[in-house]
Amino acid sequence: MKIIDRNYDYYDYLWQQNGDDEVVFDRRGSVLLSKKVLCDAINCGDGCYRIVNGKKRFIPLFPYNFFSWEKKSGEPFLLIVLAAGFNFFVIKLKQLRYENYLLLDFSMELICSRKWYEYKGEPLNLYTVDSRAFAVDKLSAEEWRKANLSNCNFRPLLNLSGELERCPIPILRGAGFASIIPPEEIYCGIDEYLLASKNDVSIESEGLSDVDKAVNHGFDKRTSFRNVK
């Protein structure tokens, strides 16, 4: 996977080692992430705003939306998802430090990683996530691995206001992701996704039973399709 970008991320060395140019990851226009940039993205709002002195003022995402509490400690946390191609990483932002309803700092914990072959977004992107089908903040790691992600609503964290035509590709190395996700998992997930897109090949069904394929498309496996009228 050839990477085109003036910015350098922590998984880029794998291309330089392998010298594989079969697919191209055009990352130009990428944004350097830091904890402050992530906090600003969360604080900017989710597209809802009010007019203050004739200007738009976005309603903060924190603590009004996508905001939960640890059951035992009562501490607040936020869930985000990093999509690296078909590799999905569910991440908890915890030990939140905030002031005047503005998030200032946090630590990260990887809840789980999994494959989702129906993903059709940017090769690398960050999302907030919610669902009407189940309470995503209450899912265990094992439940996340089995969850039908088609029932989830993924909203681009770096474009929650919806004002950008295309979400910028995040450069992860300065925001703490390198401490919880191996570079190989980022690189290989993007490479697999771009290769499948280039060849227009669906690899959703690899290793899945017919029942699993149906569940991936939103059907309830407890229902028999033979007798449906």
Side-chain angles (χ1 to χ4, degrees), residues 6-26:
R6 66 178 182 178
N7 295 318
Y8 184 85
D9 213 341
Y10 77 103
Y11 56 86
D12 290 9
Y13 76 94
L14 291 165
W15 165 53
Q16 295 167 350
Q17 280 186 353
N18 299 330
D20 179 13
D21 295 345
E22 187 172 358
V23 292
V24 175
F25 183 21
D26 188 349

Side-chain angles (χ1 to χ4, degrees), residues 60-116:
L61 220 175
F62 176 87
Y64 303 104
N65 296 297
F66 310 107
F67 173 69
S68 304
W69 301 85
E70 296 281 9
K71 189 172 182 180
K72 292 183 179 179
S73 65
E75 293 294 319
F77 69 90
L78 292 163
L79 285 180
I80 63 172
V81 170
L82 174 64
F86 297 125
N87 289 350
F88 264 52
F89 305 92
V90 182
I91 299 165
K92 178 186 290 186
L93 305 186
K94 60 181 186 177
Q95 297 176 338
L96 306 180
R97 185 169 67 86
Y98 51 96
E99 188 175 301
N100 297 326
Y101 297 107
L102 295 177
L103 184 62
L104 302 178
D105 197 9
F106 56 84
S107 63
M108 289 184 179
E109 175 188 341
L110 179 63
I111 295 179
C112 85
S113 60
R114 59 165 293 177
K115 292 280 190 182
W116 189 36

